[in-house]
Amino acid sequence: MSRVIGRQRGATLLIALVMLLLLSLLAASSMRQTLLQARSGGAALENTQAFNAAEAALREGERRLVAVSRQPDFIAFSSGFSNCTESNNSLALPLKSAFPDDSKPQLCILSKNFDLSTSSLTQSWALAALQPAGTDRAISYKGSDGKAKFNGYLSWAITVIGSSSVDVSKPTSNLFRVTAVAKNAEGRFPVILQSIVALEVP
């Protein structure tokens, strides 16, 4: 009788150990799934932040272009420049008139010869533009109040891509491509956005 009871206890212990092992495996699997979901959610949030930052850069580039186009001498620089340094130097006075509260207003308008017309050109520009120190072809955006946290992760460039007018008796509508690039606060997930702006040139 005692042998039977001993065998039953041994079998119960074995079953308990197997059940404990199964529960441990289920718990480990559940924890792994939760961790993956948390990482996926975090990546989605960072991607959304980068997209929002790039869109902010795009809107800022458009806003500055439209503001400068209202200056009387817009026709003098509406064809663009070979690099951002030349653009900023040439547009110093118009920019100061358009943005009197900005201590150092900047706007990069590139000529058609320096257009970011291909994927490889856009990607190489974005790679340079997203460097913290900035480059000759990148303008870092600090926000309209100069205090945004996107500095070094958010930039834009504008290129003149042609004319949409066929009637010489009417003002020419120049087309400008605004290219914006941004990363999220963690410095990952680069996003590139583009838009087309049509402006009349007298």
Side-chain angles (χ1 to χ4, degrees), residues 47-166:
N47 192 34
T48 299
Q49 290 174 340
F51 182 87
N52 291 340
E55 192 167 26
L58 198 64
R59 299 289 87 84
E60 179 65 14
E62 293 170 353
R63 183 180 76 89
R64 294 196 175 208
L65 175 63
V66 171
V68 171
S69 72
R70 294 172 180 162
Q71 300 298 311
D73 52 351
F74 176 61
I75 190 172
F77 48 80
S78 61
S79 59
F81 304 91
S82 61
N83 56 65
C84 288
T85 300
E86 183 182 349
S87 176
N88 287 322
N89 292 337
S90 300
L91 297 177
L93 291 178
L95 282 170
K96 195 61 181 174
S97 298
F99 304 98
D101 297 330
D102 194 336
S103 60
K104 190 179 179 182
Q106 296 178 312
L107 184 64
C108 180
I109 303 178
L110 302 175
S111 67
K112 192 173 183 179
N113 293 335
F114 295 88
D115 184 18
L116 306 176
S117 56
T118 65
S119 177
S120 59
L121 284 175
T122 302
Q123 289 177 8
S124 62
W125 168 83
L127 182 64
L130 290 174
Q131 297 302 314
T135 69
D136 187 47
R137 300 188 69 182
I139 302 296
S140 293
Y141 172 51
K142 297 182 181 179
S144 58
D145 61 354
K147 298 178 181 178
K149 297 179 180 179
F150 295 123
N151 188 27
Y153 294 103
L154 187 155
S155 304
W156 72 81
I158 298 170
T159 49
V160 184
I161 59 175
S163 170
S164 63
S165 177
V166 294

Side-chain angles (χ1 to χ4, degrees), residues 164-192:
S164 63
S165 177
V166 294
D167 189 347
V168 294
S169 65
K170 295 182 179 180
T172 302
S173 292
N174 274 12
L175 300 179
F176 298 84
R177 178 188 288 117
V178 183
T179 303
V181 61
K183 285 183 179 181
N184 69 306
E186 300 298 325
R188 301 185 295 174
F189 300 102
V191 175
I192 301 173

